[in-house]
Amino acid sequence: MKKDKVKVTFLPEGEVVWIEKGATLLDAARKGGIYVNSICGGDGICGKCKVIVREGEVITRPTTLLKREEIKKGYVLACQAKVTQDVVVEVPPESRVEGKILIDKDAQRFRALYAPLKEQVFFRHYPLVQKLYLELPPPSLQDNVCDHLRLYRGIRRKIEVPIMQTGLKVIRSLPYIVREYNWKVTATLGIRGGTVEVIQVEGGDTSDRNFAVAVDVGTSTVVAHLVNLNTFETIDAEATYNSQMIYGEEVTRRIIYAELKGEHKLREAIVDDINNLITTLISRNNIKLNDIMAVLCAGNTAMMHFLLELNPSQIRKEPYVPVCTCPPPVRAAEVGIRINPRGLLYSLPSIASWVGADITAGVLATGIYQAEELTMLIDIGTNGEIVVGSKEWMVCCSASAGPAFEGSGVRSGMRAAEGAIEKVKISEEGRVHYTTIGGVKPRGICGSGLIDVMAELLKAGFIDRAGRLNPNLDKRVKVREGEVEFVLVPSSQTATGEDIVITQADIENILRAKAAIFAGINVLMRILNLDFQDIKRIYLAGGFGNYLDKENAIILGLIPDIERERIQFVGNTSILGAKMALLSKDALDTAYYISKNITYYDLITYPGYMDEFMSAKFLPHTDTSLFPSLKNLLKEAV
Amino acid sequence: MKKDKVKVTFLPEGEVVWIEKGATLLDAARKGGIYVNSICGGDGICGKCKVIVREGEVITRPTTLLKREEIKKGYVLACQAKVTQDVVVEVPPESRVEGKILIDKDAQRFRALYAPLKEQVFFRHYPLVQKLYLELPPPSLQDNVCDHLRLYRGIRRKIEVPIMQTGLKVIRSLPYIVREYNWKVTATLGIRGGTVEVIQVEGGDTSDRNFAVAVDVGTSTVVAHLVNLNTFETIDAEATYNSQMIYGEEVTRRIIYAELKGEHKLREAIVDDINNLITTLISRNNIKLNDIMAVLCAGNTAMMHFLLELNPSQIRKEPYVPVCTCPPPVRAAEVGIRINPRGLLYSLPSIASWVGADITAGVLATGIYQAEELTMLIDIGTNGEIVVGSKEWMVCCSASAGPAFEGSGVRSGMRAAEGAIEKVKISEEGRVHYTTIGGVKPRGICGSGLIDVMAELLKAGFIDRAGRLNPNLDKRVKVREGEVEFVLVPSSQTATGEDIVITQADIENILRAKAAIFAGINVLMRILNLDFQDIKRIYLAGGFGNYLDKENAIILGLIPDIERERIQFVGNTSILGAKMALLSKDALDTAYYISKNITYYDLITYPGYMDEFMSAKFLPHTDTSLFPSLKNLLKEAV
């Protein structure tokens, strides 16, 4: 028994957390490292942090975010429940962020996504960090240049380096190493801005041990690929949830949290995630931490700010000015990333406050910057970023879609992880067919599943073009607590024991999300005076999964109606671009070129954006002439 | 009373030091910061660390380094005297390194030496650290480039900077500073290798506060000049003794000490000296530590190693390979130098293990690298370094002269400080006329005085061309304890109460020193196939004082016999070159050019060096044809 503290036991793990009286259950969960969903970051408005009090009592306030039956069962919102005595609390499956094992499978999925773009963009193999094995001539009276210049001379005999730099620590170590190893040493060189830094000098030939990690710092998922810098090979991949989620699911919530509690908390959270990923990757592949010489990160602008502990405040305030879109390479240890103590952390450059380094990576990976024909990249996450252009010019914008396609703000929504329904078909007889990730019992619906559901419900006539569910059509359309919902999978067949449903509110959320993105696309078309048919290729990127149904995405009105073979789903281009930059200085230079040469267009400044948004809230759109190929289909729908 | 420790009281200060039983008096003096001369660094072979035991007893061994009368008075060698009980010890004037006030006057002398070379070498004013006041346009929706690039844009609108770098700390501070000061900021830019670093960004206009310190890190004296980087002006100068002297007066002794006890002790000692100099300079001139943005150091190669804590061991071992002759600029704080925490420490490049950055500075200051005619620089310190060349080519060597010209190894020798006899004339009647630095009672003889003494004794016939004192010629030639000596100033007229003398051993020391240097000069002439008359200009540098008598230096045979107006005494060119490099990037670049383009010739590899040395041990030389202008004078001498 600890003074002034109470004991909170979290089920099913049985994890015990001691916390001050008056703290909330969400505080206790954060302290204990127990993941509990939270979109609003603890403001009691998202209703995602539901937990069940099994023993003891908590102090809480009335809320409309819990159903009456839930309250009866002991459900409370963790962020609103204050503990004053010892309690036992259960975190139900729907409030849990999924754990390790599922992620491993995800990682393999992310890895597979590398394939489709592999041959489109090619850069010279010129890794950001190189190891050179040198057999230096021992000094003599005739050749007694200093150790430092002898090393430089040896390096310059192998490669061309205009400006070379070295820290005092490396110079200090030189006389010992070169003599102990009889002038046979391995120099590690890192690209740093326009210069090359001799990062370390090791005795003997260690040139075959030269690894790096590319990281996609997503708002919800952090993906890391372990790369052999010598062979170009991706050795392994791993992913985890961004543990900043406990400070808010949305970027803006996290920025506000940083403003209130300090940026360092956000940095520490993401750095912990990255360190954990690296640890997993190296131990699984028998690689030493000391042989990881670089980490390269790509993420949205806010994530990059959090990682480097830059004040993110102005990102959310007009005129939306980041502190730094092109962060210089720094010693990884400076931000707390644990690799070789002299290893470097590279950051891909961002484009603007709301178009980040992940999009730079996407443009790099898809090669838009060198495309002969007009190309569009649509990257769908919590924001939908759109890039249009070719080698002549590039324009981008960001549409605030909300996290619906990532499964948030949707009753049965979940991320693209095991148990997620990722494919849905409603047969002519009205029967729902679905497949889940991992082939297990369904736990919810992920983004690609939601797109299918919307299109299938329209085709089957369960909803009209405004998205309205018809409550009298079928027994699967129910009214529960005043809200209309369609039961996709009854509770008897789910892993959670609850119905997997899509509610009228969910449908409106999804329509709002897709309308935001499509309006962004349409505004770009208008300001550029372009027609959809001018777009010769569309790349669709994002964490949906592998099986996005292009046809259904068009029926939903998420993407323009162009010839299907011109549309390519490319998966996670952020990690792909990050890896390309790690493996080629030319790719990194190209990333800088991209970030400087994309014109950012702020949708807010377009007077007709709201009208565009409203028009796009239909299936597929108010203006059906934009979707000519759906003519026959739409005849059937009302 | 402390356990196992005994009390050593040093007179005249009365400073009390507690030390372990069995330690030496020199240990105690070091511990208490009491300066006691020591050339050998504590090996009991130089006899310079004489102290007088006034109370108590010490354990010591017999030594021939003390005169019988000294032993009777209680003199002991501090390095050989072990303490086992409380003692009171007096440090007599001859064993004291002079203190603060004298140094101030020295500093003014060093400062004056800037004048003669001022107009010979001119570089564009381009300080290594610049401050730019910027009024940045506040961001808007139309111009919302990040803070970092906005700053870079502002800088690049003022000056051309191909590669600009910035540390994470500065980037992190940016959003706060630019907004607090309404986008009016001062950026401090430091040259770093081939790049420019934004060292700091301050609010408002601080561009007028931009100072730096140039330091000549001499083996015995450390000289610092405070410089205004905006106006080119030398504000003040200060000097102190290199407190590494407690680890040995000679460079080699200090290297051995570093090998035994660690390099950090040597670094700490010199860094303390530099910090003390800076503190004195800034408080005397009401300048803030934060406004000192850079320190630039020049010294011999070993001193540069000590400063940066580089292992100096190989400097003294064949094939004499330094760790680093061109150290990169580093954060001054990294070695412990206290200026602005982000300020830089620059090191002038050295040439070889025994030709250091002080010589690079000398070549820079005298402009040999761009001379149309063949020029020679002779820099006389503990080593004599010789550079011969022009804009076409340059060759240098180092002759191990020993510290005789710095007043060490000579009975009445002392450094060029107050009370030193710096000018001597023996009249036709044989009367000794002298002047002292500061015009006070004499305490000893400094280098320029010793040169005069040698030449005057020869001219007056007290010594022959082999340097032998004739004991029967004059009552001032005495035999004391088996050694012949000439009394220059009787004890009644000196500040120390002891005779100021020159002994037969002193004369041999001086002859050895000058012979080493002249042999070096002559070897260079031979390998380059040159004649003295080919040398169109000789610059003589070193810490002699302002009044070196060229004629007497030639009579001594220290420097070649060429037309007197072609010989110029230039004083401390190390500090002068250091200042030039601080004030002009072009000068620093030239220093790098110099260090790369001087060929180092190792005298040891010349088979005839020893013969050259033996021949040069005469006054002026065995081969009098080398000194044609002295023909008449030498007729008189035997």
Side-chain angles (χ1 to χ4, degrees):
Chain A
M1 185 72 195
K2 297 177 189 181
K3 211 182 154 193
D4 291 334
K5 295 210 170 183
V6 291
K7 186 168 82 168
V8 182
T9 310
F10 286 96
L11 300 177
E13 294 91 346
E15 181 83 27
V16 170
V17 178
W18 288 92
I19 197 153
E20 294 71 27
K21 280 183 188 173
T24 69
L25 285 175
L26 189 62
D27 293 332
R30 282 173 183 174
K31 192 176 173 194
I34 311 281
Y35 287 104
V36 174
N37 283 341
S38 167
I39 296 178
C40 68
D43 286 355
I45 53 178
C46 74
K48 282 282 171 184
C49 61
K50 290 184 280 194
V51 295
I52 310 162
V53 179
R54 291 293 184 200
E55 290 174 29
E57 278 184 6
V58 295
I59 298 172
T60 188
R61 287 183 301 179
T63 173
T64 58
L65 293 163
L66 293 169
K67 286 176 279 189
R68 257 166 281 155
E69 60 196 66
E70 287 174 334
I71 295 171
K72 277 185 205 157
K73 285 181 187 164
Y75 275 79
V76 294
L77 296 182
C79 71
Q80 299 299 307
K82 290 187 182 166
V83 284
T84 52
Q85 52 173 250
D86 292 357
V87 284
V88 177
V89 161
E90 182 184 336
V91 185
E94 66 268 27
S95 297
R96 290 194 165 265
V97 180
E98 295 77 7
K100 218 58 193 162
I101 298 159
L102 297 181
I103 290 300
D104 278 1
K105 293 189 183 158
D106 269 10
Q108 295 309 315
R109 290 160 50 80
F110 284 119
R111 189 176 173 183
L113 293 176
Y114 180 46
L117 279 169
K118 208 168 185 175
E119 272 128 51
Q120 293 189 28
V121 181
F122 182 74
F123 287 99
R124 172 174 63 132
H125 183 212
Y126 187 145
L128 298 188
V129 173
Q130 287 188 65
K131 277 190 166 188
L132 291 184
Y133 174 59
L134 306 168
E135 298 192 351
L136 302 170
S140 64
L141 279 176
Q142 286 67 46
D143 170 26
N144 55 6
V145 67
C146 70
D147 296 346
H148 179 224
L149 293 182
R150 187 173 303 272
L151 176 76
Y152 275 25
R153 201 175 62 182
I155 291 169
R156 289 201 159 108
R157 279 176 185 169
K158 288 215 164 188
I159 59 166
E160 201 185 319
V161 189
I163 301 176
M164 199 146 39
Q165 299 190 319
T166 318
L168 197 48
K169 278 184 190 157
V170 170
I171 297 177
R172 280 177 180 158
S173 73
L174 262 186
Y176 303 97
I177 293 170
V178 291
R179 285 170 184 82
E180 187 180 342
Y181 289 89
N182 201 24
W183 304 92
K184 293 174 175 59
V185 296
T186 302
T188 307
L189 309 182
I191 306 273
R192 267 194 113 154
T195 74
V196 168
E197 186 196 352
V198 180
I199 297 174
Q200 73 172 5
V201 177
E202 296 168 291
D205 187 354
T206 69
S207 60
D208 60 328
R209 303 204 299 272
N210 189 21
F211 303 96
V213 176
V215 184
D216 166 37
V217 186
T219 308
S220 47
T221 309
V222 186
V223 184
H225 283 206
L226 176 64
V227 176
N228 183 327
L229 291 176
N230 291 340
T231 62
F232 213 102
E233 179 200 3
T234 300
I235 298 166
D236 198 356
E238 179 65 87
T240 187
Y241 288 102
N242 187 331
S243 58
Q244 291 174 340
M245 261 187 294
I246 59 177
Y247 304 120
E249 194 154 347
E250 283 179 291
V251 167
T252 310
R253 299 297 320 174
R254 293 186 205 169
I255 293 177
I256 293 168
Y257 188 91
E259 289 166 5
L260 296 172
K261 305 285 174 72
E263 290 111 47
H264 66 282
K265 291 213 167 190
L266 281 294
R267 178 183 58 75
E268 285 161 8
I270 184 61
V271 164
D272 277 354
D273 292 340
I274 294 173
N275 283 337
N276 289 337
L277 288 170
I278 294 172
T279 307
T280 305
L281 286 170
I282 64 164
S283 47
R284 200 154 63 201
N285 295 279
N286 287 317
I287 287 168
K288 287 186 193 131
L289 206 57
N290 249 6
D291 295 330
I292 307 287
M293 299 310 303
V295 168
L296 186 142
C297 291
N300 67 45
T301 310
M303 291 306 127
M304 301 309 282
H305 276 57
F306 292 145
L307 174 66
L308 298 173
E309 204 176 312
L310 304 173
N311 181 343
S313 209
Q314 298 299 323
I315 288 177
R316 69 178 188 95
K317 295 173 186 164
E318 201 183 315
Y320 315 107
V321 178
V323 173
C324 182
T325 46
C326 296
V330 297
R331 198 82 56 215
E334 196 175 349
V335 301
I337 291 180
R338 285 192 305 271
I339 55 171
N340 182 301
R342 312 258 325 146
L344 297 176
L345 167 65
Y346 295 91
S347 305
L348 274 197
S350 301
I351 294 159
S353 270
W354 295 100
V355 181
D358 48 347
I359 302 307
T360 307
V363 173
L364 180 68
T366 54
I368 300 178
Y369 66 94
Q370 61 174 10
E372 298 289 337
E373 298 180 313
L374 214 54
T375 305
M376 178 180 281
L377 170 67
I378 308 169
D379 192 344
I380 296 173
T382 305
N383 281 304
E385 292 99 344
I386 303 135
V387 181
V388 177
S390 67
K391 64 176 182 179
E392 310 291 344
W393 51 261
M394 291 177 283
V395 174
C396 70
C397 68
S398 175
S400 181
F405 289 114
E406 296 186 275
S408 287
V410 174
R411 174 78 61 87
S412 300
M414 68 177 285
R415 292 182 201 88
E418 195 173 63
I421 295 174
E422 60 171 351
K423 228 171 148 61
V424 177
K425 183 91 193 155
I426 301 180
S427 66
E428 285 186 17
E429 309 85 56
R431 194 172 300 160
V432 175
H433 301 272
Y434 60 86
T435 56
T436 63
I437 296 178
V440 298
K441 270 196 173 181
R443 304 175 64 246
I445 321 170
C446 70
S448 56
L450 289 171
I451 290 170
D452 281 354
V453 167
M454 293 289 288
E456 295 294 321
L457 285 177
L458 179 71
K459 286 191 278 186
F462 288 107
I463 56 174
D464 61 15
R465 283 188 50 224
R468 275 186 299 264
L469 274 167
N470 187 340
N472 306 318
L473 201 69
D474 193 290
K475 61 175 179 172
R476 282 169 295 181
V477 182
K478 294 180 179 169
V479 181
R480 200 181 327 216
E481 296 190 11
E483 193 172 23
V484 185
E485 64 184 29
F486 180 89
V487 180
L488 278 166
V489 187
S491 58
S492 58
Q493 293 167 31
T494 66
T496 56
E498 295 207 7
D499 288 347
I500 292 176
V501 301
I502 186 142
T503 70
Q504 189 61 56
D506 294 342
I507 292 170
E508 278 152 27
N509 265 345
I510 294 166
L511 285 178
R512 270 196 296 273
K514 80 96 185 175
I517 293 164
F518 194 82
I521 295 170
N522 228 6
V523 166
L524 277 196
M525 291 295 103
R526 286 181 198 276
I527 60 155
L528 298 168
N529 203 20
L530 292 172
D531 194 82
F532 288 144
Q533 296 313 315
D534 297 326
I535 309 294
K536 300 305 178 200
R537 180 162 285 278
I538 292 179
Y539 293 113
L540 189 58
F544 295 105
N546 269 326
Y547 310 104
L548 189 92
D549 189 306
K550 294 185 257 186
E551 190 66 31
N552 281 343
I554 293 170
I555 292 172
L556 175 59
L558 173 64
I559 57 174
D561 179 13
I562 68 170
E563 284 169 50
R564 306 305 183 256
E565 64 270 24
R566 292 204 229 150
I567 301 170
Q568 191 174 352
F569 177 64
V570 287
N572 183 344
T573 49
S574 178
I575 190 75
L576 180 53
K579 274 201 289 190
M580 288 165 67
L582 255 186
L583 292 167
S584 179
K585 172 188 183 299
D586 296 352
L588 180 64
D589 288 344
T590 303
Y592 284 108
Y593 169 84
I594 290 167
S595 90
K596 282 198 192 98
N597 286 281
I598 293 191
T599 305
Y600 172 68
Y601 184 79
D602 194 330
L603 291 174
I604 288 173
T605 62
Y606 186 78
Y609 178 73
M610 210 55 208
D611 291 339
E612 289 289 345
F613 172 71
M614 294 309 289
S615 306
K617 273 178 68 185
F618 275 70
L619 283 157
H621 198 274
T622 315
D623 180 2
T624 52
S625 72
L626 290 171
F627 290 82
S629 80
L630 303 182
K631 204 174 165 186
N632 290 333
L633 173 74
L634 295 179
K635 262 188 210 150
E636 294 167 30
V638 191
Chain B
M1 186 72 195
K2 298 177 189 181
K3 210 183 154 192
D4 292 332
K5 294 210 171 185
V6 290
K7 185 169 82 168
V8 181
T9 309
F10 287 96
L11 299 179
E13 295 91 346
E15 182 80 27
V16 171
V17 177
W18 288 92
I19 196 153
E20 294 72 28
K21 281 183 187 173
T24 68
L25 285 175
L26 190 61
D27 293 332
R30 283 173 181 173
K31 193 177 172 192
I34 311 282
Y35 287 104
V36 174
N37 283 341
S38 167
I39 296 179
C40 67
D43 285 354
I45 53 178
C46 74
K48 283 282 170 185
C49 61
K50 289 185 282 194
V51 295
I52 309 161
V53 179
R54 291 294 184 201
E55 288 174 29
E57 279 185 6
V58 296
I59 298 171
T60 189
R61 288 182 300 178
T63 173
T64 58
L65 293 162
L66 293 168
K67 286 176 279 187
R68 255 166 284 154
E69 59 195 67
E70 286 175 335
I71 294 171
K72 275 185 206 155
K73 284 180 188 166
Y75 275 78
V76 295
L77 296 181
C79 71
Q80 299 300 306
K82 290 186 182 166
V83 283
T84 53
Q85 53 174 247
D86 293 355
V87 284
V88 177
V89 161
E90 182 184 336
V91 185
E94 65 268 27
S95 297
R96 286 191 169 270
V97 180
E98 295 78 5
K100 218 60 195 157
I101 297 159
L102 297 180
I103 290 299
D104 278 2
K105 292 186 184 162
D106 269 11
Q108 295 310 313
R109 289 161 49 81
F110 285 118
R111 188 177 173 183
L113 292 175
Y114 180 46
L117 280 170
K118 207 169 185 176
E119 272 128 52
Q120 294 190 25
V121 181
F122 181 74
F123 286 98
R124 172 173 63 132
H125 184 212
Y126 188 145
L128 298 189
V129 174
Q130 287 187 64
K131 279 191 166 186
L132 292 184
Y133 173 59
L134 306 168
E135 297 193 351
L136 302 170
S140 64
L141 278 177
Q142 286 66 46
D143 170 25
N144 56 6
V145 66
C146 70
D147 296 346
H148 179 225
L149 293 182
R150 187 173 303 270
L151 176 77
Y152 274 26
R153 201 175 62 181
I155 291 168
R156 288 201 159 108
R157 279 176 186 169
K158 287 215 165 188
I159 59 166
E160 201 185 318
V161 190
I163 302 176
M164 197 145 43
Q165 299 190 318
T166 319
L168 197 49
K169 278 183 190 160
V170 170
I171 297 176
R172 281 178 180 158
S173 72
L174 263 186
Y176 303 97
I177 292 170
V178 291
R179 286 173 182 80
E180 187 180 343
Y181 288 89
N182 201 22
W183 303 93
K184 293 175 176 58
V185 296
T186 302
T188 306
L189 308 183
I191 306 273
R192 267 193 113 156
T195 74
V196 168
E197 187 196 350
V198 180
I199 298 175
Q200 73 171 6
V201 177
E202 296 167 292
D205 187 356
T206 69
S207 60
D208 60 328
R209 302 202 301 271
N210 189 21
F211 303 96
V213 176
V215 184
D216 165 38
V217 186
T219 307
S220 48
T221 309
V222 187
V223 184
H225 283 207
L226 175 64
V227 176
N228 183 328
L229 291 175
N230 291 340
T231 62
F232 212 100
E233 180 200 3
T234 300
I235 298 166
D236 198 356
E238 179 66 87
T240 188
Y241 289 101
N242 187 331
S243 58
Q244 291 174 339
M245 261 188 292
I246 60 176
Y247 303 120
E249 193 153 347
E250 283 179 292
V251 167
T252 310
R253 299 295 323 170
R254 292 187 206 168
I255 294 177
I256 292 168
Y257 188 91
E259 289 167 4
L260 295 173
K261 306 285 175 72
E263 291 111 46
H264 65 283
K265 291 212 166 192
L266 280 294
R267 178 184 57 76
E268 285 161 8
I270 185 61
V271 164
D272 276 354
D273 292 340
I274 294 172
N275 283 336
N276 288 336
L277 289 170
I278 294 172
T279 307
T280 305
L281 286 170
I282 62 163
S283 46
R284 200 154 64 201
N285 295 279
N286 288 316
I287 287 168
K288 287 189 193 124
L289 206 56
N290 250 5
D291 294 330
I292 307 287
M293 299 309 304
V295 168
L296 186 142
C297 291
N300 67 46
T301 310
M303 292 306 127
M304 300 310 281
H305 276 57
F306 292 146
L307 174 66
L308 298 173
E309 204 175 313
L310 304 173
N311 180 344
S313 210
Q314 299 298 325
I315 288 177
R316 69 177 187 94
K317 294 173 186 164
E318 201 182 314
Y320 315 107
V321 178
V323 174
C324 182
T325 46
C326 296
V330 297
R331 199 81 55 214
E334 196 176 349
V335 301
I337 291 179
R338 285 192 303 271
I339 55 172
N340 182 301
R342 311 257 326 147
L344 297 177
L345 167 65
Y346 294 92
S347 304
L348 274 197
S350 301
I351 295 158
S353 270
W354 295 100
V355 181
D358 47 347
I359 303 307
T360 307
V363 173
L364 180 67
T366 55
I368 299 178
Y369 67 94
Q370 62 174 11
E372 298 287 338
E373 298 181 313
L374 214 56
T375 305
M376 177 181 280
L377 170 67
I378 308 170
D379 192 344
I380 296 172
T382 304
N383 281 302
E385 292 98 346
I386 302 135
V387 181
V388 177
S390 67
K391 63 176 183 179
E392 309 292 343
W393 51 261
M394 292 177 284
V395 175
C396 71
C397 68
S398 174
S400 180
F405 289 115
E406 296 186 275
S408 286
V410 174
R411 175 76 61 87
S412 300
M414 68 176 284
R415 293 182 199 87
E418 195 175 64
I421 294 174
E422 60 170 351
K423 228 171 146 62
V424 177
K425 182 91 194 157
I426 300 180
S427 67
E428 284 185 19
E429 309 85 55
R431 195 171 298 159
V432 175
H433 300 274
Y434 61 86
T435 56
T436 62
I437 296 178
V440 297
K441 268 194 173 182
R443 304 175 65 247
I445 322 171
C446 71
S448 57
L450 290 171
I451 290 170
D452 281 354
V453 167
M454 292 290 286
E456 295 293 321
L457 286 177
L458 180 73
K459 286 191 277 185
F462 287 107
I463 57 174
D464 60 16
R465 283 189 49 225
R468 275 185 298 265
L469 274 166
N470 186 339
N472 305 318
L473 201 70
D474 193 289
K475 61 174 179 170
R476 283 170 295 181
V477 183
K478 292 180 178 169
V479 181
R480 197 176 335 210
E481 296 190 10
E483 192 171 24
V484 185
E485 64 183 29
F486 181 87
V487 180
L488 278 167
V489 187
S491 58
S492 59
Q493 293 166 30
T494 66
T496 56
E498 296 207 8
D499 289 348
I500 292 176
V501 302
I502 186 141
T503 71
Q504 189 61 57
D506 293 343
I507 291 171
E508 278 152 26
N509 265 343
I510 294 166
L511 285 176
R512 270 196 297 274
K514 80 96 185 174
I517 293 164
F518 194 83
I521 295 171
N522 228 5
V523 167
L524 277 197
M525 292 294 104
R526 287 181 198 279
I527 60 155
L528 297 168
N529 203 21
L530 292 173
D531 193 81
F532 288 144
Q533 295 313 314
D534 296 327
I535 309 295
K536 300 306 177 198
R537 180 162 287 277
I538 292 179
Y539 292 112
L540 190 57
F544 295 107
N546 270 326
Y547 309 104
L548 189 93
D549 190 308
K550 295 185 256 185
E551 190 66 31
N552 281 343
I554 293 171
I555 292 171
L556 175 60
L558 174 64
I559 58 174
D561 179 13
I562 67 170
E563 284 170 49
R564 306 307 183 257
E565 64 271 23
R566 290 204 231 148
I567 301 170
Q568 192 175 351
F569 177 63
V570 286
N572 184 344
T573 50
S574 178
I575 189 75
L576 179 52
K579 273 201 291 190
M580 288 165 68
L582 255 185
L583 292 167
S584 180
K585 173 188 182 297
D586 296 352
L588 181 63
D589 288 344
T590 303
Y592 283 108
Y593 169 84
I594 291 167
S595 90
K596 283 199 190 98
N597 286 281
I598 293 191
T599 304
Y600 172 68
Y601 183 79
D602 194 329
L603 291 174
I604 288 172
T605 62
Y606 185 79
Y609 178 74
M610 210 54 207
D611 291 340
E612 289 289 345
F613 172 72
M614 295 309 289
S615 306
K617 275 179 66 184
F618 275 70
L619 283 157
H621 197 273
T622 317
D623 179 4
T624 53
S625 73
L626 290 171
F627 290 81
S629 80
L630 303 181
K631 203 173 166 189
N632 290 331
L633 173 75
L634 296 178
K635 261 186 209 149
E636 292 164 30
V638 190

